[in-house]
Amino acid sequence: QVQLRESGGGRVQPGESLRLSCAASGSWISIGDMRWYRQAPGKEREQVAAIAADGVTAYTGSVEDRFTISRDNAAVYLQMNSLNAEDTAIYYCNMRCRTGKGWGVWSNFWGLGTQVTVSS
């Protein structure tokens, strides 16, 4: 199984920056797409950014040009700049991993989330 753990959340003022990290542990054959989601109070969870195994990235419109997703072998990062109150949410990382024996099977794994609060 794969365990994901986010870190780097906190409380900042509008215009400031945060860098979120998510590290994978456990065992896997390979890791595919890595994604960041967020869920604000009273709202549905939304995908914020994604990065494929080949490094191709995608962002939701409200964070494009402010957020940058990156990855290494077993971690995904989210650099968040020019934060505003609308970015306040719990941020979750998600990884699609191939686990098991032989060819294995692809499954999605989630972290428990890290709180980001933007407030003056």
Side-chain angles (χ1 to χ4, degrees):
Q1 286 294 322
V2 178
Q3 296 81 42
L4 304 182
R5 183 170 183 175
E6 302 96 338
S7 61
R11 178 183 292 270
V12 296
Q13 295 189 346
E16 294 186 338
S17 299
L18 279 175
R19 178 177 169 86
L20 304 183
S21 300
C22 174
S25 61
S27 65
W28 57 84
I29 300 170
S30 59
I31 302 178
D33 293 353
M34 296 181 175
R35 302 171 188 268
W36 284 98
Y37 288 76
R38 68 185 178 187
Q39 187 165 20
K43 296 188 177 181
E44 294 187 355
R45 188 174 297 189
E46 67 167 345
Q47 181 176 303
V48 175
I51 183 166
D54 62 2
V56 175
T57 60
Y59 301 90
T60 190
S62 63
V63 309
E64 203 154 12
D65 298 328
R66 298 190 298 121
F67 290 11
T68 302
I69 189 171
S70 60
R71 64 184 285 168
D72 61 25
N73 284 344
V76 61
Y77 309 94
L78 188 67
Q79 177 66 42
M80 306 186 294
N81 299 328
S82 302
L83 287 162
N84 57 60
E86 288 67 42
D87 297 317
T88 295
I90 299 174
Y91 284 71
Y92 300 90
C93 70
N94 169 277
M95 295 187 188
R96 186 162 174 79
C97 304
R98 188 164 56 163
T99 61
K101 299 179 180 180
W103 288 103
V105 294
W106 287 99
S107 302
N108 278 316
F109 295 89
W110 292 87
L112 296 179
T114 185
Q115 176 71 50
V116 172
T117 302
V118 185
S119 173
S120 56

